Amino acid sequence: MDINKRKRELVKEFSPMLEKTSFVSKLWIVILIAILSVGLYAFYLQFMNGHKITGMRDNVVWGIYIINFIFFVGISYSGAFITGVLHFFKGSWKYAIARIIKIITVLSLIIGPIFILLCIGRLDRLHYLFIYPRIQSPITWDIIAIMTDLIGCFIYLYLTFIPDFAILRDSENLKVPNWQKKVYKVLAIGYQDTTTQRERLHKITEIMSVMIIAMAIVAYTVLAWIFSLTLQPGWNSTIFAPYFIIAGLYSGVGVIIISMYLIRKTFKLERYIRKIHFIGAGIVLLIISILFGYFTFSEYFAKWFSHKTNDVELLDTLFSRYFWEFILANYIGVLVPIAILFFKKLRTIKSITFAAVIAVLGLWLNRYLIVIPTLETPYIPIQDTRPEFIFYTATWIEYALSFAGIAAFILFFKLIMKFVPIIPMSGIIDQERCEEKRRKNTTEQVQ
Amino acid sequence: MKSNKPKESNSNRRNFLKLGLMSSVTVVTGASLFSNLIDDDKEIGSGEKMRVLTPEGKIVEVDATNINKYPEALITPAESRKGIPNRKFVMVIDLAKCKNARKCVESCQKAHQLDYNEEFIKVQLIQDNKEADPYWFPKPCFHCDSPPCVTVCPTGATFKRDDNIVLVDAERCIGCKFCVTSCPYSARIFNWGHKDKFKNTTIPYSPETGVPATEGTIMKCDFCPDMLRQGKLPHCAQSCPMGVIYFGDINEDIVTNGEETVRFSKLIKERAGYRYLEHLGTKPNVYYLPAVNRQFPLERGFDVDEDIIERYKNVDYVKELKKQGKI
């Protein structure tokens, strides 16, 4: 096999993704930038006027910002977990989706923490966290864990990009701007695909993939502790950390399936992202949705059965004021994906994607029900005449910023895909190299 | 004011304050706890040297020019972290006497420059169960001995002092609101937006007064350490017409509501004093005396503004009253 020839073929195959931007794609970018600018304007308003223009008040001090924070960090954690695990699987199928997951991991880990910053009243004093740190505060743990996780995921993503940067640097026919070629050259850091380099890279990637699994679990556990270490009736629960871990995977796998579907459609990658990927991911989603339903049930069942006063108050709120949200999040959001994914006949690409969409939306709502109703039912009953201090309703500022977060996620995803092919070329070559070796070995044995 | 004063005079002033406090502790044993701590007005003006009593019981001479009378002295954020030496402040609230006169709320609001709905001390109407008689429940910050708010604060903006007080340094607070979610007693208030009163630069900020407040930071009941330093009762205790709120020092085992001074331990034992939500393990420093042998019928508390009554609409008893058309 002529590796250089194969590289040229692959570059030729994937170069349209990097060279051309279709009209629809351009239109999307414009729309995304528009949503992002509305979000930036909302941020400007919030920064200038203070938090009074949000729906947050003295009882519900954290609104949908913190829900988005848990949501995005959860996606990132599960992405890290899955890529880490995928690394130890053999087979060509994993290369088709590995990079999608890695990009999801890094992007959501950048966007998630921005939402926690929006909860902070004095952004101008953010550096106090480092000047006057107090190690016993779970927030400090969270900062350390998330920053470590972010750096780790960045390194891991970059490591898997290096061989592709080298291939792109060496392809002279690529019709991309000159600056882009220069960036490829710098980022490839002199990688020449020699055997020593390849082995070294492989070793580092292997160590990193174990490390990011650990880092991701730690980061998300600490995030769950932000809630469960307080005395609040709805939060102070020993199963919160594992519950969050499962919930993170649930939304993460969902987002991966949705991204796979969209990328496959847009770039016509049916040859690479095949039905087997959807079925595989669908079965993983099925297992996790059962686990997630089990955890959700345990959490609420224990509260209901032991009926402590404050737990009962919380459940009463959930089943009166939040009745439909509760049904959508914890019944529809769990049972519909299970129903779709359980039956072999129903497992088509479209239905699996539909189940993923339900799972992701249901999970966001489930997070909402964990955060908001708990804060609305404190130990000492709220006795206030101002309606906004009793019940939380998000304002357009908060929604604008939430959608801006999603828009930023998609936009950056698009930009990264313009820069590096979404299917790792080096992975495909590595795989083919392995297969050839195996073939040679078998033929030698036969002779 | 706080930064342009030379350090030396600052520490001298602190030393004096210490000495003054110590001396009074020794001198007034047996007398009321809240006799004026610094009762040296005459001496400041008259002589160059001044005699004060040290904690060890020695009399020492101090230069009179180094001495500041407290009310003019500013307690800086750094100084406010230490607390008043040898004190363990405690509050006892006698629920049998409260009739929701709201004087505690109003005087507190005035002293801390709070707006109408901003209350460091709230008077709630609590009905423990359907059969139980509801009672008025004044709720300040409990200044816990294991304060969850202090544990979770990522910058040390809220801290526990040696004299039992939990304070907030609004200059250090980043407004993450984690302390609000961790406080089981809903004692904390956030400054959600800008207000003109924050711009008041005539008074320098001190965590002991909490004035002027800052946008995007936390504030709460502070047990009025500025008053305590002057040997006075906190505003709520001082202004209560019924003498509901007793305030004092566990070290001296004395609490007073301004009218009577009683032994703290005896009061708690005889009247079955308890701490609210004891099972949470926060170890509050606010004790309650149960609402038995009431001095006023509960209805007297409904003699307040319409919107205050509206707050209690979810209490079973109030629902019943409304049904009967009594309110």
Side-chain angles (χ1 to χ4, degrees):
Chain A
M1 186 178 77
D2 184 0
I3 284 174
N4 284 332
K5 195 180 148 214
R6 187 75 185 106
K7 277 181 186 171
R8 273 198 298 279
E9 274 172 29
L10 282 171
V11 170
K12 209 178 163 194
E13 187 181 346
F14 293 120
S15 59
M17 270 195 221
L18 310 180
E19 289 166 349
K20 281 180 223 144
T21 317
S22 70
F23 174 72
V24 183
S25 179
K26 275 179 193 158
L27 192 70
W28 261 110
I29 289 175
V30 171
I31 294 169
L32 290 172
I33 289 175
I35 298 172
L36 208 55
S37 4
V38 175
L40 285 175
Y41 177 63
F43 174 72
Y44 167 77
L45 286 181
Q46 183 183 318
F47 191 74
M48 297 313 286
N49 298 322
H51 285 201
K52 69 165 179 251
I53 60 168
T54 68
M56 301 185 278
R57 286 299 179 270
D58 282 344
N59 291 297
V60 185
V61 285
W62 293 333
I64 58 173
Y65 291 151
I66 201 134
I67 297 156
N68 293 335
F69 169 61
I70 318 171
F71 186 71
F72 275 105
V73 175
I75 291 169
S76 166
Y77 132 75
S78 66
F81 185 86
I82 293 165
T83 37
V85 172
L86 271 187
H87 187 82
F88 297 96
F89 274 94
K90 294 218 153 45
S92 59
W93 58 273
K94 73 173 182 187
Y95 292 107
I97 50 167
R99 182 159 288 165
I100 299 178
I101 304 174
K102 277 171 206 149
I103 296 173
I104 290 175
T105 303
V106 172
L107 281 183
S108 48
L109 199 52
I110 294 169
I111 291 165
I114 292 174
F115 280 105
I116 198 73
L117 296 182
L118 295 174
C119 293
I120 286 177
R122 293 300 296 246
L123 279 176
D124 53 319
R125 293 180 181 174
L126 206 58
H127 57 284
Y128 286 10
L129 288 169
F130 304 98
I131 303 177
Y132 311 109
R134 285 181 82 252
I135 198 67
Q136 61 267 65
S137 167
I139 288 196
T140 312
W141 310 348
D142 212 17
I143 293 163
I144 296 169
I146 286 186
M147 287 205 312
T148 317
D149 194 18
L150 187 60
I151 293 168
C153 289
F154 243 125
I155 293 172
Y156 190 60
L157 180 76
Y158 178 60
L159 286 177
T160 58
F161 271 7
I162 292 173
D164 274 20
F165 284 140
I167 296 173
L168 290 166
R169 172 199 60 195
D170 298 336
S171 3
E172 273 133 29
N173 297 333
L174 204 63
K175 288 184 216 60
V176 293
N178 260 335
W179 65 264
Q180 199 168 335
K181 279 186 183 163
K182 268 181 206 152
V183 175
Y184 288 143
K185 197 175 170 193
V186 175
L187 290 178
I189 48 168
Y191 186 79
Q192 295 298 341
D193 203 19
T194 62
T195 324
T196 7
Q197 279 183 332
R198 203 161 47 228
E199 269 164 17
R200 193 180 296 153
L201 188 68
H202 187 75
K203 212 170 196 172
I204 302 172
T205 324
E206 199 156 279
I207 295 168
M208 279 312 293
S209 57
V210 179
M211 276 174 59
I212 64 161
I213 295 176
M215 283 191 286
I217 290 181
V218 169
Y220 211 51
T221 301
V222 172
L223 198 152
W225 283 348
I226 290 229
F227 298 95
S228 68
L229 297 187
T230 66
L231 293 166
Q232 297 289 344
W235 293 352
N236 189 357
S237 157
T238 46
I239 68 162
F240 247 43
Y243 183 26
F244 269 50
I245 293 283
I246 295 296
L249 277 175
Y250 193 45
S251 59
V253 175
V255 169
I256 290 166
I257 294 175
I258 298 167
S259 325
M260 269 167 27
Y261 181 81
L262 293 174
I263 290 165
R264 182 176 188 260
K265 265 265 146 98
T266 342
F267 297 110
K268 311 228 166 3
L269 290 173
E270 283 85 353
R271 216 162 74 80
Y272 291 95
I273 305 174
R274 285 169 295 153
K275 194 175 174 187
I276 181 119
H277 291 109
F278 285 88
I279 305 255
I283 288 167
V284 173
L285 189 67
L286 172 68
I287 296 165
I288 295 166
S289 61
I290 293 167
L291 273 174
F292 174 67
Y294 164 72
F295 268 98
T296 309
F297 177 75
S298 311
E299 174 71 8
Y300 288 112
F301 178 71
K303 282 192 192 355
W304 174 78
F305 192 87
S306 58
H307 61 269
K308 279 185 280 187
T309 322
N310 298 101
D311 289 343
V312 170
E313 249 165 59
L314 176 67
L315 289 177
D316 282 348
T317 317
L318 284 172
F319 280 102
S320 55
R321 193 177 149 75
Y322 293 101
F323 182 78
W324 286 110
E325 285 93 332
F326 194 86
I327 297 292
L328 283 174
N330 298 330
Y331 288 79
I332 312 277
V334 181
L335 296 178
V336 169
I338 291 179
I340 294 174
L341 300 166
F342 188 78
F343 299 103
K344 227 173 184 175
K345 266 189 193 164
L346 290 177
R347 282 183 212 145
T348 63
I349 291 177
K350 271 191 182 145
S351 67
I352 288 172
T353 312
F354 177 72
V357 172
I358 299 284
V360 171
L361 293 179
L363 192 101
W364 190 90
L365 211 52
N366 168 285
R367 307 283 97 176
Y368 187 93
L369 294 178
I370 283 177
V371 176
I372 309 294
T374 295
L375 289 175
E376 284 176 353
T377 51
Y379 276 106
I380 299 182
I382 304 172
Q383 292 183 343
D384 208 307
T385 32
R386 297 162 290 175
E388 74 271 24
F389 277 72
I390 304 172
F391 296 118
Y392 168 79
T393 21
T395 59
W396 74 267
I397 302 277
E398 288 162 280
Y399 283 119
L401 277 161
S402 305
F403 283 112
I406 300 166
F409 181 84
I410 302 170
L411 185 66
F412 287 132
F413 210 119
K414 269 189 152 316
L415 293 181
I416 292 177
M417 286 193 296
K418 283 290 303 165
F419 196 67
V420 192
I422 192 69
I423 308 291
M425 300 180 288
S426 53
I428 295 169
I429 288 170
D430 272 353
Q431 186 62 29
E432 285 169 356
R433 204 184 269 138
C434 276
E435 273 164 19
E436 201 177 55
K437 216 193 231 166
R438 207 179 306 138
R439 221 175 298 134
K440 243 185 221 161
N441 283 347
T442 30
T443 40
E444 271 167 22
Q445 275 166 10
V446 171
Q447 281 166 355
Chain B
M1 182 170 169
K2 55 189 182 279
S3 52
N4 48 27
K5 272 206 168 177
K7 264 231 162 89
E8 207 183 329
S9 80
N10 236 352
S11 73
N12 280 334
R13 185 205 315 145
R14 296 286 307 123
N15 280 339
F16 167 69
L17 200 59
K18 233 183 194 166
L19 293 175
L21 282 162
M22 291 306 129
S23 59
S24 78
V25 171
T26 341
V27 169
V28 298
T29 325
S32 166
L33 161 64
F34 292 100
S35 66
N36 203 341
L37 291 182
I38 304 155
D39 194 17
D40 301 325
D41 294 32
K42 292 155 268 162
E43 282 173 85
I44 290 172
S46 56
E48 289 216 301
K49 297 280 178 185
M50 205 185 108
R51 286 178 179 184
V52 285
L53 195 64
T54 67
E56 292 80 33
K58 281 185 197 161
I59 292 176
V60 290
E61 271 195 341
V62 188
D63 201 312
T65 49
N66 286 336
I67 288 165
N68 256 326
K69 197 170 161 284
Y70 167 70
E72 285 81 45
L74 171 80
I75 305 295
T76 62
E79 287 167 335
S80 73
R81 283 176 186 263
K82 286 183 199 123
I84 304 170
N86 293 335
R87 301 286 190 184
K88 292 281 177 204
F89 293 114
V90 68
M91 185 181 268
V92 181
I93 296 177
D94 187 352
L95 298 174
K97 290 188 200 156
C98 183
K99 59 157 199 174
N100 195 21
R102 294 183 60 78
K103 292 285 176 282
C104 55
V105 181
E106 283 157 19
S107 67
C108 170
Q109 283 176 326
K110 200 175 157 207
H112 293 100
Q113 299 183 3
L114 302 175
D115 289 348
Y116 178 66
N117 267 315
E118 293 171 348
E119 296 172 353
F120 284 177
I121 181 165
K122 292 187 177 90
V123 185
Q124 308 231 182
L125 182 61
I126 303 284
Q127 187 173 12
D128 290 328
N129 56 61
K130 256 202 154 112
E131 292 304 314
D133 205 17
Y135 52 88
W136 299 107
F137 182 75
K139 178 184 66 80
C141 167
F142 289 171
H143 296 268
C144 309
D145 278 346
S146 313
C149 53
V150 172
T151 319
V152 301
C153 179
T155 60
T158 188
F159 48 87
K160 176 81 181 170
R161 315 202 303 181
D162 291 338
D163 58 2
N164 271 355
I165 296 179
V166 175
L167 273 193
V168 182
D169 179 355
E171 286 180 351
R172 178 76 67 85
C173 177
I174 60 164
C176 69
K177 306 166 196 161
F178 198 10
C179 55
V180 186
T181 62
S182 66
C183 174
Y185 310 110
S186 316
R188 291 171 165 256
I189 297 176
F190 190 74
N191 285 308
W192 293 98
H194 184 75
K195 285 175 181 160
D196 282 338
K197 64 180 180 184
F198 299 159
K199 278 189 285 190
N200 184 357
T201 46
T202 54
I203 339 159
Y205 172 76
S206 168
E208 294 212 339
T209 55
V211 174
T214 319
E215 183 195 341
T217 60
I218 294 290
M219 50 183 186
K220 70 167 192 71
C221 157
D222 51 14
F223 268 5
C224 303
D226 56 325
M227 300 291 279
L228 301 180
R229 282 193 197 269
Q230 298 172 58
K232 291 177 185 162
L233 284 173
H235 293 282
C236 51
Q238 227 173 49
S239 61
C240 178
M242 311 303 145
V244 171
I245 303 172
Y246 292 79
F247 195 85
D249 184 349
I250 296 182
N251 283 349
E252 292 196 314
D253 199 19
I254 283 171
V255 286
T256 177
N257 60 358
E259 282 160 20
E260 52 166 349
T261 304
V262 284
R263 277 199 176 280
F264 166 72
S265 53
K266 205 174 147 213
L267 185 68
I268 296 300
K269 270 183 198 128
E270 284 179 358
R271 300 277 309 277
Y274 68 96
R275 300 189 289 193
Y276 201 66
L277 299 179
E278 177 82 63
H279 71 277
L280 294 180
T282 51
K283 300 176 194 135
N285 278 305
V286 173
Y287 290 75
Y288 285 93
L289 305 178
V292 286
N293 301 326
R294 307 252 188 123
Q295 297 196 356
F296 309 97
L298 185 85
E299 287 73 19
R300 287 275 288 277
F302 289 108
D303 190 20
V304 285
D305 290 346
E306 196 61 38
D307 74 305
I308 304 284
I309 296 177
E310 197 52 28
R311 290 183 186 182
Y312 309 119
K313 63 174 186 291
N314 288 328
V315 182
D316 290 328
Y317 175 80
V318 177
K319 280 184 196 160
E320 196 61 32
L321 277 185
K322 278 204 169 157
K323 221 187 271 170
Q324 293 166 6
K326 283 189 184 162
I327 347 177

